[in-house]
């Protein structure tokens, strides 16, 4: 084993509370000279803000170690020749798309609609604006398609249900750039200079983290923290390589 890919929300922390033993586990993985990548589908804060939060909660993370879906979305847009995009993301996340031209709130057309987590700002008006741009020809790009995530006050809807609503309304399938897409994992492995057989993914989402990693040929460790629900795992039909109580149990398995 040469590399460990770590989901962050629900694995390292929940809201502003670190998971017990998480910082120590990350430190031990570093001492054992494993390459680390912090891979997240979080789209309600910018990459810079996510990095700041990790450090504030006691995790020493280098900038190049954090991988978010926004960078891959920009790459996809460039590859497809998209310049003007409508980004349905939290205000702070728009900075991650500075390389593209962001449309205003009432722009009549766009090359692409990028969908992330708007939280409580998702309403009929926002969905309808995205729908109209898509019907008029814009490409649908989803930063992620998670069903839900764990907040301090409990499980909450993530971006996935809103992406699914737009897919249903337009009859088109979104390009998903975050986990569990094969392109996301390929980008992470290439950046870490390791093969799939040399890496392990650690996550709390049985579909995005575990299913995506296994499909990419990566061993996957499911933790019973964050959004983990035993009944959801059973219904998924996905069999993790191993399931542990928390990230604190991971170093003993991979070193």
């Amino acid at each position: 084993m040469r590399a460990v890919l770590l989901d962050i929300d629900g694995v390292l922390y929940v809201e502003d509370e670190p998971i017990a033993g998480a910082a120590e586990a990350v430190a031990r993985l570093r001492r054992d000279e494993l390459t680390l990548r912090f891979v997240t589908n979080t789209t309600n804060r910018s990459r810079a803000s996510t990095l700041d939060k990790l450090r504030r909660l006691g995790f020493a993370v280098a900038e190049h170690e954090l991988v978010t879906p926004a960078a891959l979305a920009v790459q996809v847009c460039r590859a497809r020749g998209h310049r003007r995009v409508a980004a349905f993301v939290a205000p702070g996340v728009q900075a991650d798309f500075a390389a593209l031209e962001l449309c205003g709130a009432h722009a009549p057309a766009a090359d692409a609609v990028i969908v992330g987590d708007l939280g409580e700002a998702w309403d009929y008006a926002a969905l309808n604006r995205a729908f109209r741009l898509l019907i008029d020809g814009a490409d649908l790009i989803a930063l992620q398609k998670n069903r839900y995530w764990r907040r301090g006050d409990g499980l909450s809807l993530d971006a996935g249900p809103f992406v699914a609503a737009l897919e249903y309304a337009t009859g088109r399938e979104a390009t998903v750039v975050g986990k569990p897409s094969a392109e996301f994992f390929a980008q992470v492995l290439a950046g870490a200079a390791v093969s799939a057989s040399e890496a392990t993914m650690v996550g709390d989402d049985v579909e995005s983290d575990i299913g995506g990693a296994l499909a990419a040929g990566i061993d996957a460790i499911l933790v019973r923290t964050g959004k983990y629900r035993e009944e959801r795992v059973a219904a998924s039909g996905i069999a993790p390589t191993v399931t542990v109580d928390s990230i604190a149990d991971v170093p003993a398995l991979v070193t």
Side-chain angles (χ1 to χ4, degrees), residues 43-236:
T43 57
N44 62 354
R45 67 178 71 91
S46 68
R47 188 172 186 276
S49 177
T50 300
L51 192 61
D52 287 344
K53 179 174 182 176
L54 282 164
R55 291 169 175 170
R56 174 169 53 83
L57 294 179
F59 300 97
V61 181
E63 185 174 353
H64 73 276
E65 292 178 322
L66 177 61
V67 185
T68 67
L72 190 53
V74 171
Q75 290 180 20
V76 169
C77 285
R78 284 176 166 170
R80 296 180 180 181
H82 300 332
R83 293 185 177 181
R84 287 171 49 82
V85 302
F88 290 80
V89 297
V93 181
Q94 294 196 2
D96 291 344
F97 301 97
L100 304 171
E101 180 185 346
L102 293 178
C103 298
H106 302 290
D111 297 326
V113 167
I114 299 176
V115 179
D117 181 16
L118 274 179
E120 295 183 7
W122 274 122
D123 57 16
Y124 179 83
L127 279 169
N128 205 43
R129 178 176 168 246
F131 165 74
R132 288 175 176 176
L133 291 171
L134 292 166
I135 285 294
D136 287 340
D139 197 4
L140 177 57
I141 299 174
L143 296 183
Q144 45 105 333
K145 204 176 177 183
N146 289 14
R147 300 172 190 268
Y148 53 86
W149 65 296
R150 176 71 181 271
R151 301 193 315 190
D153 59 353
L155 297 179
S156 302
L157 290 176
D158 209 328
F162 302 100
V163 174
L166 292 170
E167 288 179 318
Y168 178 74
T170 61
R172 294 160 58 187
E173 185 175 350
T175 298
V176 181
V177 296
K179 298 173 290 183
S181 79
E183 291 80 4
F184 184 88
F185 284 101
Q187 181 191 46
V188 174
L189 293 174
V194 297
S195 66
S197 63
E198 296 172 317
T200 293
M201 175 72 208
V202 182
D204 66 325
D205 188 316
V206 70
E207 294 175 338
S208 293
D209 296 331
I210 307 306
L214 292 172
I218 303 169
D219 283 348
I221 300 174
L222 179 65
V223 294
R224 298 187 183 96
T225 55
K227 68 173 68 173
Y228 172 87
R229 293 292 184 276
E230 184 177 356
E231 64 276 11
R232 182 67 192 163
V233 175
S236 72

